[in-house]
Amino acid sequence: MGCDGRVSGLFRSNLQPTLTYWSVFFSFGLCIAFLGPTLLDLRCQTHSSLPQISWVFFSQQLCLLLGSALGGVFKRTLAQSLWALFTSSLAISLVFAVIPLCHDVKVLALVMALAGLAMGCIDTVANKQLVRTYQKDSAVFLQALHFFVGFGALLSPLIADPFLSEGDCFPANGTANATSRSHLFHTSRVLGPHHPEALPRFNQSSPSLRPQHGTATRVSYAFWIMGLINLPVPVAVLLLLSKERLLTCCSQRSPLLLSADELALETQPPEKEDAASMPPKLQPKPGHEDLFSCCQRKNFKGVPYSFFAIHITAALVLFMTDGMTGAYSAFVYSYAVAKPLSVGHKVAGYLPSLFWGFITLGRLFSIPISSRVKPATMVFINMVGVVMTFLVLLIFAYNMVFLFVGTASLGLFLSSTFPSMLAYTEDILQYKGCATTVLVTGAGIGEMTLQMLVGSIFQAQGSYSFLVCGVIFGCLAFTFYILLLFFHRMHPGQSSVPTQDKPVGMENSECYQR
């Protein structure tokens, strides 16, 4: 009871920053899911072939990964973090406004690359700021943070759906129609730009792809609506900047533009007494470096091998789990419509929505659960659940009912893996080092790499290999997690952590020792 009261007290004292970070992650989710249902309209708008439009996915995913790695550069101080979040969330609104004006696929890929950079920056900075704020109690708030990703990812297709065309931009004798829209999307994720010959159903390179009057403009309203919905997010970050007195127009105590003396303190490592004399918002935080600073040789001195092993194994777990999430959502439709299941296109179209719906539902359920269950226990349950679900799907590969039940189960078990793993790893490392940056980057690499790998195997070996890959990746994730538990036992205990590194008022807290 005392623990719950203290956590709720922490939440009340950090209400505005927490709500702001959650809203920024809503922007992330809103931007990550709209490409799928609008792909056919964007293809018509840009007069592009399927291999050409596939580069839009690649540019977004690649720059999301780069943004995750580079996001650490902007988070050494609270001021840098908040300005990075403001710029990124505002960029997402601008991207939504500009997309309808992109009539060339190269311009569209460039715009989506900008969106990817903004999303990657949000991913790293918002996760890190919540971990900094709540530390030992961050698990429940991280679960809520990632719930807003799922909520945004569910909302953007719903907004786009009323404005989607029925494939009228194709010639009358074309082979694409409304029922093949989702098949086009998923098959493009399978094949990528390197297998155009495997798509005889679609007009790959027809120069006559021209939208009829009004076709390309209807979907523009969906993007503008999403841009307007997202616009309050940068406003919320701006209000937080004002509250923290980080706007030059609101306070002269902590100006945004540093003086020459303050700039020298930022560029040179200060002595302890100098760092303590700096304004709180301008003090660099210990640990929590960006990915490039983590790799400097000076950070390796006197550090036990278990420290590096924990970073690596935790990143490998998320490499597998986030990769499975991306691959399953991308290819479950193609698996369902292929033989031997041969599910109807309309029925199979519900599978990706079911998967993401239960991911969002699982993250919602995980918010109260994570306040009672340790992150390590939640990750263990998730790993076992993922492996068992894939085994059941493999055993009953010819049963459509088990496919739908298994898809929902997989969404539930994968939903809380990332926030639980992040909370657990930061807890092990006592909020030192580069855990958040390394984990976010590892998850991004996995999501991009495993989709490409599963797509290649899917085309070469057939639909059954889709579930075999899931079992293999699930077993690898579980193995890496067991290794993480082993390295946790080897790592020096909490007694080696200085008292000043613990959250204020928690030195003797029973909740802190859990």
Side-chain angles (χ1 to χ4, degrees), residues 35 39 51-66 109-110 112-113 116 188-189 192-194 448-449 451-452:
L35 267 182
L39 182 69
Q52 289 172 335
I53 201 71
S54 297
W55 283 102
V56 175
F57 287 103
F58 179 78
S59 64
Q60 184 194 40
Q61 289 293 326
L62 178 62
C63 289
L64 195 157
L65 176 61
L66 293 176
L110 187 63
M112 291 312 303
S188 70
R189 300 293 291 270
H194 304 295
M448 185 171 63
T449 304
Q451 286 189 42
M452 296 173 61

Side-chain angles (χ1 to χ4, degrees), residues 331-347:
F331 304 122
V332 64
Y333 177 93
S334 298
Y335 168 75
V337 298
K339 294 181 179 180
L341 281 175
S342 300
V343 179
H345 290 275
K346 186 174 182 180
V347 176

